[in-house]
Amino acid sequence: MNEWLTVGRHYLLTKYGRNWRSREELLQWQERQVRRHLRRILPKSAFYRELAGGLSAERWREFPVIDKRTMMAGFDALNTAGIRKEQAFATAFAAEESRDFSPTLGGITVGLSSGTSGHRGLFLASPGERMAWAGTMLAKALPGSLLSRQRIAFFLRANSNLYSSVDRGAIRFAYFDLLDPLERHLDRLNEYRPTLLAAPPSMLRMLAEAALQGELRIRPGKVISVAEALDPLDERYIARGFGQPVHQVYQCTEGFLGATCRYGTLHLNEDLVVVEKEWLDESERKFVPIITDFRRTTQPIIRYRLDDILTERSEPCPCGSPMTALDCIEGRCDDMFYFPSAEGGGLRPVFPDFIRRAILAASADIEEYAAVQHSPQLVAVALKLPESQREACCGQVRRKLAKLCAGMSCLPPEVRFAEWDAAQRRPGARKLRRIERKFQL
Ligand SMILES: [Zn+2]
């Protein structure tokens, strides 16, 4: 019962409790939250105490910025539950192996982020944080009220106590393992008839195609894309398959960072985290977020630089929220392309979104694409489209990329084309990345 109250309280607070009249008011409130949070955290986390180097909570914006590598290296001293990294990994790996995601470490939920082996992140949450997360997530994602009957279908690579904690009251929660075969998913979904469907876009697109072919017969009230960046191409297919706009939840091991409003605009969750912007290109409104979560205490996240590139929306959202609105989560910094400068003197960065737009502008008939940069001089593009259009489309892609490079004073790369390999979009083992850089700078 106590747990249920925590969920309810955070649900209500998120949904109705915070009405900032202006962005200014929101920022002032955030500042107070961070300071109060740090006064609680610093005595408990040796890692952050050392990082702060004697600076007071008021001067938190001067704390050094950390990233995944620093956080994982200092994991034992960073978390406030006294959990050692080896213990946490052992628990998380055992859960992945057995597909039983319920064990905890002394009550603390342990999760693993996806990522290449050796670069996987760990996630810790206390029972209280789990309930707070559930309440906040339900407030932001649920189409109706907390009391209306809902059946949530959640597709993930790994389940977690975190997710099953929303299974209560009128709300049913079913976990779908991304590693299961599609036929099994279709049978289960047709039986379960979810009112809310949340899955990575690669899976949503397969489900949308099954819906168009009549194999999937569900009518969810809301469809949410999670865990992978939502490509405009996939968004189109998914929206058509389910006959409704696609919503998004932006979440990673580092926190619950954003959700779409009723207009479908993605807003940063500035009621949970402060997002400092490290501008990559201010005129293009592109930045890397540095986040400070003022709620998580078991695994505090203070001035943590993510590897994502976000594009701020140019127009204010009609919903009137004072929280930053985004055009898109465009991809990872590591997937920024680099071409030789036409004026000599090194390489110039090109945003993944520019590459994406150049390719999609080549033909309206492109069904699938992937672009991999193997070296500053070589880009491989895989395309799926009607065979009769292939030749013309490849020529167009080459011209569009050359034009993009010319506009940025870069030398155009050699472009090699390949057939689309359906294995690239098989959900589960690997996240779908349509724009990928494969060489180190
Ligand atoms: Zn909005």
Side-chain angles (χ1 to χ4, degrees), residues 330 335-337 339 350-361 369 371-373 379 381 401 404-405 434-435:
E330 102 159 54
D335 287 328
M336 188 106 84
F337 279 20
F339 296 115
V350 177
F351 290 106
D353 192 40
F354 292 178
I355 304 292
R356 178 178 359 260
R357 276 192 266 166
I359 293 173
L360 289 178
Y369 75 92
V372 178
Q373 189 179 25
V379 173
V381 178
L401 286 174
L404 170 66
C405 287
R434 293 195 182 275
I435 308 286

Side-chain angles (χ1 to χ4, degrees), residues 159-405:
N159 195 7
S160 163
N161 291 322
L162 193 63
Y163 306 121
S164 36
S165 51
V166 302
D167 187 31
R168 54 189 65 239
I171 297 165
R172 294 272 74 88
F173 174 91
Y175 162 66
F176 289 72
D177 194 329
L178 279 178
L179 299 177
D180 284 345
L182 182 66
E183 296 69 38
R184 182 165 146 71
H185 290 322
L186 297 180
D187 289 346
R188 275 185 76 198
L189 285 170
N190 283 329
E191 172 84 12
Y192 182 58
R193 292 176 298 115
T195 55
L196 191 158
L197 175 64
S202 47
M203 174 53 78
L204 284 178
R205 190 162 160 190
M206 287 170 78
L207 296 176
E209 281 162 5
L212 285 173
Q213 284 155 15
E215 294 164 23
L216 181 64
R217 300 171 297 277
I218 57 171
R219 306 183 69 83
K222 193 170 177 181
V223 175
I224 306 179
S225 157
V226 298
E228 290 168 358
L230 177 63
D231 192 279
L233 181 67
D234 295 317
E235 185 175 11
R236 254 195 334 258
Y237 275 88
I238 299 164
R240 202 172 70 210
F242 290 105
Q244 59 185 295
V246 187
H247 284 266
Q248 291 178 72
V249 158
Y250 177 25
Q251 189 186 240
C252 49
T253 21
E254 292 80 13
F256 178 19
L257 303 177
T260 41
C261 67
R262 64 183 183 280
Y263 290 92
T265 306
L266 189 60
H267 289 271
L268 290 173
N269 287 341
E270 289 173 304
D271 49 349
L272 312 173
V273 288
V274 170
V275 181
E276 297 175 84
K277 295 174 184 139
E278 183 184 305
W279 290 106
L280 294 172
D281 186 334
E282 206 162 347
S283 63
E284 292 286 343
R285 309 182 309 281
K286 293 186 190 302
F287 65 96
V288 175
I290 296 171
I291 57 169
T292 297
D293 188 314
F294 45 82
R295 292 229 314 224
R296 283 177 65 184
T297 54
T298 309
Q299 183 184 19
I301 302 283
I302 314 291
R303 300 206 81 208
Y304 182 106
R305 186 184 193 272
L306 290 171
D307 185 42
D308 293 340
I309 304 171
L310 308 184
T311 310
E312 191 171 355
R313 200 177 135 106
S314 52
E315 315 267 296
C317 179
C319 76
S321 166
M323 294 187 244
T324 301
L326 299 177
D327 262 343
C328 67
I329 303 165
E330 102 159 54
R332 304 175 345 138
C333 303
D334 288 351
D335 287 328
M336 188 106 84
F337 279 20
Y338 284 84
F339 296 115
S341 162
E343 292 130 21
L347 301 173
R348 280 173 188 259
V350 177
F351 290 106
D353 192 40
F354 292 178
I355 304 292
R356 178 178 359 260
R357 276 192 266 166
I359 293 173
L360 289 178
S363 163
D365 296 312
I366 295 175
E367 294 165 36
E368 300 274 15
Y369 75 92
V372 178
Q373 189 179 25
H374 291 282
S375 77
Q377 290 80 24
L378 178 63
V379 173
V381 178
L383 292 172
K384 181 180 174 195
L385 78 168
E387 209 39 55
S388 58
Q389 319 241 354
R390 173 166 293 275
E391 205 182 313
C393 180
C394 290
Q396 270 296 350
V397 167
R398 213 172 250 131
R399 279 189 288 280
K400 296 279 180 194
L401 286 174
K403 192 173 161 209
L404 170 66
C405 287

Side-chain angles (χ1 to χ4, degrees), residues 78-97:
L78 182 146
N79 80 81
T80 61
I83 290 176
R84 283 180 302 111
K85 188 162 63 181
E86 293 72 36
Q87 274 177 302
F89 268 127
T91 306
F93 281 134
E96 293 227 329
E97 194 60 34

